[in-house]
Amino acid sequence: MNTPLEKQVDVIVVGAGFAGLYALHKLRAMGRTTQVIEAAGDVGGVWWWNRYPGARCDVESLQYSYSFDTALEQEWQWTERYAAQPEILAYIQHVADRHDLRRDVRFNTRVESARFDPARERWVVRTDAGAVFSGAHLIMASGSLSVPRLPDIPGIQDFKGKVFHTGSWPHEGVDLTGLRVGVVGTGSSGIQAIPQIARQAAQLTVFQRTANFSIPAWNAPLTPQQQQEFKAAYREHRARAREVGTLYEFSAKGALDVDARQREAEYQRRWDKGGVNFVHSFNDLMVNKASNDTISDFVRARIRGIVKDPAVAEDLCPYDHPLGTKRICVDTGYYETYNRPNVKLVNLRKTPIERFTSNAVRTSDAEYEIDVLVCATGYDALTGAVLGIDIQGRGGLTLREKWAHGPRTLLGLMTAGFPNLYIVTGAGSPSVLVNMVVGIEHHIDWITDCLTWLEQWGRTTIEPTVQAQDRWVDHVNAAANATLLPMANSWFLGANIPGKPRVFMPYAAKIGIYRTECQAVADKGYEGFITGGPRAAATKAATTAAAKEVSQ
Ligand code: FAD
Ligand code: N01
């Protein structure tokens, strides 16, 4: 029986960022009726939410863009090497206008629950506005970094000043002129915002728990010639990006294959060019700790060279994780900011925060009065948005129960017991480790190819077998363990969320390898997946497998 007032479509998509919009565009072209549901007031995803001062991409603008619209990639003029948030948002809004996408998006609406109805083989989705939608397929384009996290610091509710999170920054902007501002968090967001805030605020106090490695962006306007040269070879660049993610200058040598002088020269050459390319100076930096020590030492020496007060410089030097094992940061004048007279660094490892009072942050040795608190404290990454929805699959199995000990997927795309539920750039895929627009386009292409295949073969449902999923989870763990990545307490591992299972979530393989693996599965008739017949009741095998998993 249909639920009253249920709007029925072929496919429901949660989220209208890069992923949701491309999904809608493709599904429409395939003739599938599609409903996108988005909590924000417009398209853009993270670029709609993250309006903090200094927000910009760190994959170069010409690469951090869709490849599917080949006319647009020629027409669109990026103004800077790394576009700022307003420009990226304008680009996504332009894509929505150009392809008339907004008419299928329900904005200002949050999906609260999704239940698979096995009798109808449909997902029934309920929103915070009480609306009900059903679709044969449900695509979670809900983002890997879309659930901001405020710090659990005692007394924060007593603080009477304004509190902002970088990931949900007010649209009207925040005038910090003449105010005493505290920033908690020195990841990518904090490192971008701190230099900008320092210019406005009367006094800026940065509360740092973990020092991070940051590389200068050397951001600059893009010249017409730079644009023309890149655009002339766009097809080749896009093809290469599908293999490597971002077009860095990859090295064929290990860091210890050359002498110290050559190593230093290479690090300096790349430092002077700026950006994440620096991390690819040698090919073993992410697998060999001794090699990594050389690049980590180089950056620590640069920090000491930039920051005038030696004690502050030392506090800014990261020692507790190898470079690159936390997401590397890219900055404009970050370390230089600590030479300003109105900026103070508080090292929370030495003097932890004890509590907030109504007008101050109290650490173990001092009280810092502030008017405004900026939390650059990150996200419940990769699984936060998906688990934020009460998702129920076959036999009443909820995703929250199933993933209680960590996410389990096949290819990062689907999970056993949840037929026709697709996750874009989810845990178990390269996701946040690569240029995410490349990963997003790949996932949407794989999902839409899968829908076409199901139709051609008269199948109505698809889901992984538990065995194939288990093998994939082991494979993802092995890929991470072959690198230095698990050595950091990073959000890649869920370490930033108390109580979150510590599982290395992204798949640490080159995206080209991953694409080949995904294609091989499809070429073998979706090997590792169970498909159900035309409107048949759910296959017995799938139900049994899901039930078995709940009982495990
Ligand atoms: P998002 O852009 O996160 O969009 C997901 C949308 O889903 C959101 O708008 C959210 O409101 C909506 N949503 C979630 N849950 C629900 C729900 N229950 N109901 C309704 N709607 C919901 N990646 C790079 O590769 N390069 C970069 O340079 C880069 N820079 C970044 C800078 C910042 C400040 C941040 C935060 C991230 C950056 N990223 C970058 C990563 C970024 O997440 C991806 O590049 C990309 O924008 C993700 O797009 P998406 O559509 O998958 O997800
Ligand atoms: O978040 P983060 P982010 N007390 O989790 C600290 C993308 N992105 O928003 O490390 C004190 O990295 C926390 O300290 P610690 C990119 O993928 C890209 O900066 O847990 N401190 C850390 O310093 C990025 O990686 C860009 O010890 C607390 C910080 O808050 C991802 O988004 C720009 C605390 C959080 O850092 C997330 O970046 C922005 C507490 N209770 C974002 N809780 C580009 O440049 C947390 N912290 C492309």
Side-chain angles (χ1 to χ4, degrees), residues 343-382:
V343 176
K344 171 151 185 73
L345 179 70
V346 177
N347 183 341
L348 301 181
R349 297 267 184 231
K350 290 181 181 159
T351 56
I353 297 180
E354 286 184 344
R355 62 175 300 109
F356 277 85
T357 67
S358 61
N359 66 344
V361 180
R362 188 181 300 154
T363 66
S364 57
D365 81 335
E367 191 152 306
Y368 300 91
E369 288 191 1
I370 55 169
D371 304 307
V372 173
L373 173 69
V374 174
C375 295
T377 43
Y379 297 88
D380 185 353
L382 283 127

mmCIF file of all heavy atoms in Angstrom, residues 343-382:
data_model
loop_
_atom_site.group_PDB
_atom_site.id
_atom_site.type_symbol
_atom_site.label_atom_id
_atom_site.label_comp_id
_atom_site.label_asym_id
_atom_site.label_seq_id
_atom_site.Cartn_x
_atom_site.Cartn_y
_atom_site.Cartn_z
ATOM 1 N N VAL A 343 48.442 38.394 17.918
ATOM 2 C CA VAL A 343 48.122 36.957 17.838
ATOM 3 C C VAL A 343 48.885 36.191 18.910
ATOM 4 O O VAL A 343 50.090 36.371 19.066
ATOM 5 C CB VAL A 343 48.469 36.405 16.440
ATOM 6 C CG1 VAL A 343 48.227 34.905 16.376
ATOM 7 C CG2 VAL A 343 47.641 37.116 15.372
ATOM 8 N N LYS A 344 48.136 35.347 19.624
ATOM 9 C CA LYS A 344 48.778 34.518 20.653
ATOM 10 C C LYS A 344 48.433 33.061 20.403
ATOM 11 O O LYS A 344 47.286 32.733 20.100
ATOM 12 C CB LYS A 344 48.269 34.953 22.038
ATOM 13 C CG LYS A 344 48.709 34.021 23.131
ATOM 14 C CD LYS A 344 48.860 34.689 24.473
ATOM 15 C CE LYS A 344 49.428 33.734 25.512
ATOM 16 N NZ LYS A 344 50.838 33.425 25.346
ATOM 17 N N LEU A 345 49.436 32.198 20.506
ATOM 18 C CA LEU A 345 49.217 30.758 20.361
ATOM 19 C C LEU A 345 49.189 30.129 21.747
ATOM 20 O O LEU A 345 50.101 30.352 22.554
ATOM 21 C CB LEU A 345 50.349 30.132 19.548
ATOM 22 C CG LEU A 345 50.252 28.616 19.339
ATOM 23 C CD1 LEU A 345 49.105 28.257 18.389
ATOM 24 C CD2 LEU A 345 51.565 28.062 18.790
ATOM 25 N N VAL A 346 48.155 29.340 22.013
ATOM 26 C CA VAL A 346 48.094 28.601 23.284
ATOM 27 C C VAL A 346 48.230 27.119 22.943
ATOM 28 O O VAL A 346 47.415 26.575 22.186
ATOM 29 C CB VAL A 346 46.758 28.870 24.016
ATOM 30 C CG1 VAL A 346 46.680 28.046 25.295
ATOM 31 C CG2 VAL A 346 46.614 30.354 24.327
ATOM 32 N N ASN A 347 49.260 26.498 23.474
ATOM 33 C CA ASN A 347 49.513 25.085 23.205
ATOM 34 C C ASN A 347 48.732 24.248 24.225
ATOM 35 O O ASN A 347 49.109 24.152 25.395
ATOM 36 C CB ASN A 347 51.024 24.820 23.316
ATOM 37 C CG ASN A 347 51.362 23.382 22.979
ATOM 38 O OD1 ASN A 347 50.506 22.495 22.992
ATOM 39 N ND2 ASN A 347 52.635 23.146 22.676
ATOM 40 N N LEU A 348 47.659 23.648 23.738
ATOM 41 C CA LEU A 348 46.778 22.908 24.660
ATOM 42 C C LEU A 348 47.401 21.602 25.143
ATOM 43 O O LEU A 348 46.917 21.005 26.101
ATOM 44 C CB LEU A 348 45.426 22.634 24.005
ATOM 45 C CG LEU A 348 44.619 23.861 23.559
ATOM 46 C CD1 LEU A 348 43.291 23.430 22.945
ATOM 47 C CD2 LEU A 348 44.358 24.804 24.731
ATOM 48 N N ARG A 349 48.453 21.158 24.477
ATOM 49 C CA ARG A 349 49.143 19.957 24.985
ATOM 50 C C ARG A 349 49.858 20.290 26.301
ATOM 51 O O ARG A 349 49.985 19.443 27.171
ATOM 52 C CB ARG A 349 50.176 19.455 23.978
ATOM 53 C CG ARG A 349 49.586 19.011 22.682
ATOM 54 C CD ARG A 349 49.291 17.516 22.694
ATOM 55 N NE ARG A 349 48.807 17.143 21.371
ATOM 56 C CZ ARG A 349 47.708 16.461 21.157
ATOM 57 N NH1 ARG A 349 46.969 16.047 22.162
ATOM 58 N NH2 ARG A 349 47.330 16.167 19.942
ATOM 59 N N LYS A 350 50.351 21.543 26.383
ATOM 60 C CA LYS A 350 51.048 21.941 27.615
ATOM 61 C C LYS A 350 50.056 22.457 28.650
ATOM 62 O O LYS A 350 50.190 22.208 29.833
ATOM 63 C CB LYS A 350 52.053 23.052 27.299
ATOM 64 C CG LYS A 350 53.244 22.588 26.479
ATOM 65 C CD LYS A 350 54.181 23.764 26.257
ATOM 66 C CE LYS A 350 55.386 23.400 25.430
ATOM 67 N NZ LYS A 350 56.006 24.579 24.822
ATOM 68 N N THR A 351 49.091 23.230 28.186
ATOM 69 C CA THR A 351 48.128 23.844 29.114
ATOM 70 C C THR A 351 46.722 23.598 28.556
ATOM 71 O O THR A 351 46.186 24.413 27.814
ATOM 72 C CB THR A 351 48.384 25.362 29.240
ATOM 73 O OG1 THR A 351 48.336 25.954 27.943
ATOM 74 C CG2 THR A 351 49.717 25.655 29.879
ATOM 75 N N PRO A 352 46.133 22.457 28.879
ATOM 76 C CA PRO A 352 44.825 22.104 28.308
ATOM 77 C C PRO A 352 43.710 23.061 28.748
ATOM 78 O O PRO A 352 43.813 23.677 29.823
ATOM 79 C CB PRO A 352 44.551 20.705 28.861
ATOM 80 C CG PRO A 352 45.775 20.273 29.566
ATOM 81 C CD PRO A 352 46.656 21.451 29.794
ATOM 82 N N ILE A 353 42.669 23.137 27.903
ATOM 83 C CA ILE A 353 41.494 23.920 28.297
ATOM 84 C C ILE A 353 40.810 23.179 29.443
ATOM 85 O O ILE A 353 40.574 21.970 29.362
ATOM 86 C CB ILE A 353 40.498 24.078 27.125
ATOM 87 C CG1 ILE A 353 41.137 24.864 25.970
ATOM 88 C CG2 ILE A 353 39.211 24.776 27.596
ATOM 89 C CD1 ILE A 353 40.217 25.073 24.772
ATOM 90 N N GLU A 354 40.475 23.919 30.481
ATOM 91 C CA GLU A 354 39.714 23.317 31.593
ATOM 92 C C GLU A 354 38.234 23.552 31.404
ATOM 93 O O GLU A 354 37.428 22.670 31.583
ATOM 94 C CB GLU A 354 40.194 23.889 32.923
ATOM 95 C CG GLU A 354 41.553 23.305 33.276
ATOM 96 C CD GLU A 354 42.054 23.750 34.629
ATOM 97 O OE1 GLU A 354 41.521 24.724 35.185
ATOM 98 O OE2 GLU A 354 43.000 23.105 35.123
ATOM 99 N N ARG A 355 37.894 24.805 31.043
ATOM 100 C CA ARG A 355 36.473 25.073 30.807
ATOM 101 C C ARG A 355 36.296 26.445 30.170
ATOM 102 O O ARG A 355 37.224 27.259 30.115
ATOM 103 C CB ARG A 355 35.663 24.995 32.099
ATOM 104 C CG ARG A 355 36.044 26.000 33.187
ATOM 105 C CD ARG A 355 35.079 25.895 34.381
ATOM 106 N NE ARG A 355 33.698 26.179 33.983
ATOM 107 C CZ ARG A 355 32.724 25.258 33.903
ATOM 108 N NH1 ARG A 355 32.949 24.018 34.187
ATOM 109 N NH2 ARG A 355 31.502 25.615 33.543
ATOM 110 N N PHE A 356 35.116 26.668 29.678
ATOM 111 C CA PHE A 356 34.716 28.002 29.262
ATOM 112 C C PHE A 356 34.029 28.665 30.444
ATOM 113 O O PHE A 356 33.342 28.012 31.224
ATOM 114 C CB PHE A 356 33.720 27.931 28.097
ATOM 115 C CG PHE A 356 34.384 27.766 26.770
ATOM 116 C CD1 PHE A 356 34.736 26.512 26.306
ATOM 117 C CD2 PHE A 356 34.660 28.872 25.988
ATOM 118 C CE1 PHE A 356 35.357 26.355 25.080
ATOM 119 C CE2 PHE A 356 35.287 28.723 24.764
ATOM 120 C CZ PHE A 356 35.628 27.466 24.309
ATOM 121 N N THR A 357 34.210 29.980 30.557
ATOM 122 C CA THR A 357 33.392 30.744 31.505
ATOM 123 C C THR A 357 32.489 31.623 30.645
ATOM 124 O O THR A 357 32.473 31.482 29.422
ATOM 125 C CB THR A 357 34.278 31.610 32.414
ATOM 126 O OG1 THR A 357 34.897 32.608 31.600
ATOM 127 C CG2 THR A 357 35.328 30.777 33.131
ATOM 128 N N SER A 358 31.779 32.541 31.239
ATOM 129 C CA SER A 358 30.847 33.347 30.441
ATOM 130 C C SER A 358 31.575 34.228 29.434
ATOM 131 O O SER A 358 31.022 34.573 28.402
ATOM 132 C CB SER A 358 29.987 34.216 31.361
ATOM 133 O OG SER A 358 30.834 35.087 32.076
ATOM 134 N N ASN A 359 32.849 34.564 29.700
ATOM 135 C CA ASN A 359 33.547 35.475 28.789
ATOM 136 C C ASN A 359 34.983 35.061 28.489
ATOM 137 O O ASN A 359 35.772 35.876 28.004
ATOM 138 C CB ASN A 359 33.545 36.904 29.367
ATOM 139 C CG ASN A 359 34.371 36.982 30.644
ATOM 140 O OD1 ASN A 359 34.681 35.951 31.252
ATOM 141 N ND2 ASN A 359 34.735 38.186 31.029
ATOM 142 N N ALA A 360 35.334 33.826 28.799
ATOM 143 C CA ALA A 360 36.749 33.465 28.642
ATOM 144 C C ALA A 360 36.935 31.959 28.458
ATOM 145 O O ALA A 360 36.040 31.165 28.713
ATOM 146 C CB ALA A 360 37.520 33.919 29.884
ATOM 147 N N VAL A 361 38.145 31.636 28.012
ATOM 148 C CA VAL A 361 38.575 30.241 27.969
ATOM 149 C C VAL A 361 39.600 30.092 29.079
ATOM 150 O O VAL A 361 40.583 30.842 29.136
ATOM 151 C CB VAL A 361 39.254 29.913 26.616
ATOM 152 C CG1 VAL A 361 39.697 28.456 26.586
ATOM 153 C CG2 VAL A 361 38.328 30.225 25.452
ATOM 154 N N ARG A 362 39.340 29.135 29.966
ATOM 155 C CA ARG A 362 40.273 28.942 31.081
ATOM 156 C C ARG A 362 41.108 27.693 30.805
ATOM 157 O O ARG A 362 40.568 26.597 30.624
ATOM 158 C CB ARG A 362 39.508 28.772 32.387
ATOM 159 C CG ARG A 362 40.430 28.760 33.599
ATOM 160 C CD ARG A 362 39.660 28.564 34.888
ATOM 161 N NE ARG A 362 38.692 29.625 35.114
ATOM 162 C CZ ARG A 362 37.583 29.473 35.832
ATOM 163 N NH1 ARG A 362 37.279 28.306 36.373
ATOM 164 N NH2 ARG A 362 36.765 30.483 35.997
ATOM 165 N N THR A 363 42.420 27.880 30.747
ATOM 166 C CA THR A 363 43.307 26.729 30.580
ATOM 167 C C THR A 363 43.916 26.404 31.939
ATOM 168 O O THR A 363 43.626 27.074 32.935
ATOM 169 C CB THR A 363 44.446 27.027 29.576
ATOM 170 O OG1 THR A 363 45.289 28.025 30.143
ATOM 171 C CG2 THR A 363 43.903 27.482 28.237
ATOM 172 N N SER A 364 44.786 25.406 31.965
ATOM 173 C CA SER A 364 45.362 24.997 33.249
ATOM 174 C C SER A 364 46.231 26.092 33.864
ATOM 175 O O SER A 364 46.531 26.031 35.046
ATOM 176 C CB SER A 364 46.168 23.708 33.078
ATOM 177 O OG SER A 364 47.153 23.926 32.097
ATOM 178 N N ASP A 365 46.657 27.100 33.049
ATOM 179 C CA ASP A 365 47.502 28.127 33.680
ATOM 180 C C ASP A 365 47.052 29.571 33.444
ATOM 181 O O ASP A 365 47.715 30.492 33.915
ATOM 182 C CB ASP A 365 48.971 27.969 33.246
ATOM 183 C CG ASP A 365 49.244 28.573 31.886
ATOM 184 O OD1 ASP A 365 48.283 28.684 31.080
ATOM 185 O OD2 ASP A 365 50.396 28.955 31.633
ATOM 186 N N ALA A 366 45.964 29.785 32.708
ATOM 187 C CA ALA A 366 45.577 31.189 32.463
ATOM 188 C C ALA A 366 44.134 31.262 32.006
ATOM 189 O O ALA A 366 43.506 30.246 31.679
ATOM 190 C CB ALA A 366 46.485 31.807 31.400
ATOM 191 N N GLU A 367 43.637 32.506 31.984
ATOM 192 C CA GLU A 367 42.278 32.724 31.496
ATOM 193 C C GLU A 367 42.377 33.716 30.331
ATOM 194 O O GLU A 367 43.011 34.764 30.468
ATOM 195 C CB GLU A 367 41.430 33.302 32.629
ATOM 196 C CG GLU A 367 39.969 33.295 32.294
ATOM 197 C CD GLU A 367 39.090 33.198 33.549
ATOM 198 O OE1 GLU A 367 39.301 32.264 34.351
ATOM 199 O OE2 GLU A 367 38.218 34.053 33.704
ATOM 200 N N TYR A 368 41.787 33.375 29.184
ATOM 201 C CA TYR A 368 41.868 34.233 28.002
ATOM 202 C C TYR A 368 40.475 34.785 27.724
ATOM 203 O O TYR A 368 39.571 34.025 27.336
ATOM 204 C CB TYR A 368 42.365 33.433 26.791
ATOM 205 C CG TYR A 368 43.734 32.844 27.026
ATOM 206 C CD1 TYR A 368 43.874 31.561 27.574
ATOM 207 C CD2 TYR A 368 44.880 33.575 26.749
ATOM 208 C CE1 TYR A 368 45.126 31.024 27.826
ATOM 209 C CE2 TYR A 368 46.145 33.040 26.999
ATOM 210 C CZ TYR A 368 46.256 31.773 27.536
ATOM 211 O OH TYR A 368 47.503 31.241 27.799
ATOM 212 N N GLU A 369 40.313 36.087 27.895
ATOM 213 C CA GLU A 369 38.997 36.689 27.638
ATOM 214 C C GLU A 369 38.778 36.806 26.143
ATOM 215 O O GLU A 369 39.661 37.250 25.400
ATOM 216 C CB GLU A 369 38.925 38.071 28.290
ATOM 217 C CG GLU A 369 38.833 37.967 29.796
ATOM 218 C CD GLU A 369 38.492 39.287 30.457
ATOM 219 O OE1 GLU A 369 38.305 40.298 29.752
ATOM 220 O OE2 GLU A 369 38.426 39.295 31.699
ATOM 221 N N ILE A 370 37.607 36.401 25.707
ATOM 222 C CA ILE A 370 37.279 36.518 24.280
ATOM 223 C C ILE A 370 35.833 36.991 24.129
ATOM 224 O O ILE A 370 34.986 36.773 25.005
ATOM 225 C CB ILE A 370 37.466 35.175 23.509
ATOM 226 C CG1 ILE A 370 36.662 34.031 24.157
ATOM 227 C CG2 ILE A 370 38.922 34.803 23.376
ATOM 228 C CD1 ILE A 370 36.600 32.770 23.313
ATOM 229 N N ASP A 371 35.567 37.654 22.983
ATOM 230 C CA ASP A 371 34.196 38.075 22.671
ATOM 231 C C ASP A 371 33.513 37.052 21.762
ATOM 232 O O ASP A 371 32.301 36.895 21.798
ATOM 233 C CB ASP A 371 34.215 39.431 21.949
ATOM 234 C CG ASP A 371 34.950 40.491 22.751
ATOM 235 O OD1 ASP A 371 34.590 40.677 23.929
ATOM 236 O OD2 ASP A 371 35.900 41.094 22.210
ATOM 237 N N VAL A 372 34.329 36.426 20.904
ATOM 238 C CA VAL A 372 33.787 35.513 19.889
ATOM 239 C C VAL A 372 34.634 34.253 19.867
ATOM 240 O O VAL A 372 35.862 34.332 19.963
ATOM 241 C CB VAL A 372 33.851 36.182 18.482
ATOM 242 C CG1 VAL A 372 33.447 35.204 17.386
ATOM 243 C CG2 VAL A 372 32.980 37.420 18.425
ATOM 244 N N LEU A 373 33.968 33.109 19.721
ATOM 245 C CA LEU A 373 34.695 31.838 19.594
ATOM 246 C C LEU A 373 34.452 31.282 18.194
ATOM 247 O O LEU A 373 33.293 31.132 17.770
ATOM 248 C CB LEU A 373 34.191 30.837 20.634
ATOM 249 C CG LEU A 373 34.757 29.418 20.491
ATOM 250 C CD1 LEU A 373 36.245 29.396 20.834
ATOM 251 C CD2 LEU A 373 34.002 28.444 21.389
ATOM 252 N N VAL A 374 35.535 30.979 17.478
ATOM 253 C CA VAL A 374 35.411 30.318 16.170
ATOM 254 C C VAL A 374 35.877 28.878 16.346
ATOM 255 O O VAL A 374 37.025 28.640 16.740
ATOM 256 C CB VAL A 374 36.267 31.036 15.098
ATOM 257 C CG1 VAL A 374 36.254 30.247 13.791
ATOM 258 C CG2 VAL A 374 35.751 32.456 14.873
ATOM 259 N N CYS A 375 34.989 27.946 16.061
ATOM 260 C CA CYS A 375 35.340 26.524 16.146
ATOM 261 C C CYS A 375 35.684 26.029 14.744
ATOM 262 O O CYS A 375 34.802 25.949 13.878
ATOM 263 C CB CYS A 375 34.173 25.711 16.694
ATOM 264 S SG CYS A 375 33.778 26.150 18.380
ATOM 265 N N ALA A 376 36.957 25.746 14.568
ATOM 266 C CA ALA A 376 37.398 25.130 13.299
ATOM 267 C C ALA A 376 37.690 23.680 13.646
ATOM 268 O O ALA A 376 38.776 23.165 13.413
ATOM 269 C CB ALA A 376 38.628 25.861 12.784
ATOM 270 N N THR A 377 36.701 23.043 14.256
ATOM 271 C CA THR A 377 36.910 21.761 14.927
ATOM 272 C C THR A 377 36.489 20.549 14.096
ATOM 273 O O THR A 377 36.393 19.445 14.627
ATOM 274 C CB THR A 377 36.187 21.764 16.292
ATOM 275 O OG1 THR A 377 34.887 22.355 16.132
ATOM 276 C CG2 THR A 377 36.950 22.569 17.307
ATOM 277 N N GLY A 378 36.237 20.770 12.805
ATOM 278 C CA GLY A 378 36.099 19.638 11.901
ATOM 279 C C GLY A 378 34.730 18.986 11.866
ATOM 280 O O GLY A 378 33.717 19.574 12.272
ATOM 281 N N TYR A 379 34.744 17.734 11.432
ATOM 282 C CA TYR A 379 33.516 17.052 11.011
ATOM 283 C C TYR A 379 33.440 15.625 11.531
ATOM 284 O O TYR A 379 34.474 15.001 11.770
ATOM 285 C CB TYR A 379 33.489 17.005 9.473
ATOM 286 C CG TYR A 379 33.443 18.386 8.884
ATOM 287 C CD1 TYR A 379 34.618 19.081 8.620
ATOM 288 C CD2 TYR A 379 32.231 19.009 8.657
ATOM 289 C CE1 TYR A 379 34.574 20.378 8.130
ATOM 290 C CE2 TYR A 379 32.179 20.302 8.169
ATOM 291 C CZ TYR A 379 33.354 20.975 7.913
ATOM 292 O OH TYR A 379 33.299 22.255 7.436
ATOM 293 N N ASP A 380 32.224 15.125 11.587
ATOM 294 C CA ASP A 380 32.016 13.686 11.754
ATOM 295 C C ASP A 380 32.123 13.127 10.327
ATOM 296 O O ASP A 380 31.144 13.033 9.587
ATOM 297 C CB ASP A 380 30.626 13.430 12.374
ATOM 298 C CG ASP A 380 30.418 11.961 12.689
ATOM 299 O OD1 ASP A 380 31.270 11.137 12.306
ATOM 300 O OD2 ASP A 380 29.385 11.630 13.300
ATOM 301 N N ALA A 381 33.353 12.823 9.959
ATOM 302 C CA ALA A 381 33.676 12.610 8.539
ATOM 303 C C ALA A 381 33.232 11.241 8.019
ATOM 304 O O ALA A 381 33.155 10.268 8.763
ATOM 305 C CB ALA A 381 35.180 12.755 8.346
ATOM 306 N N LEU A 382 32.969 11.195 6.780
ATOM 307 C CA LEU A 382 32.651 10.016 5.970
ATOM 308 C C LEU A 382 31.351 9.303 6.340
ATOM 309 O O LEU A 382 30.525 9.055 5.482
ATOM 310 C CB LEU A 382 33.832 9.032 5.940
ATOM 311 C CG LEU A 382 34.929 9.526 4.993
ATOM 312 C CD1 LEU A 382 36.267 9.575 5.686
ATOM 313 C CD2 LEU A 382 35.039 8.658 3.748
#
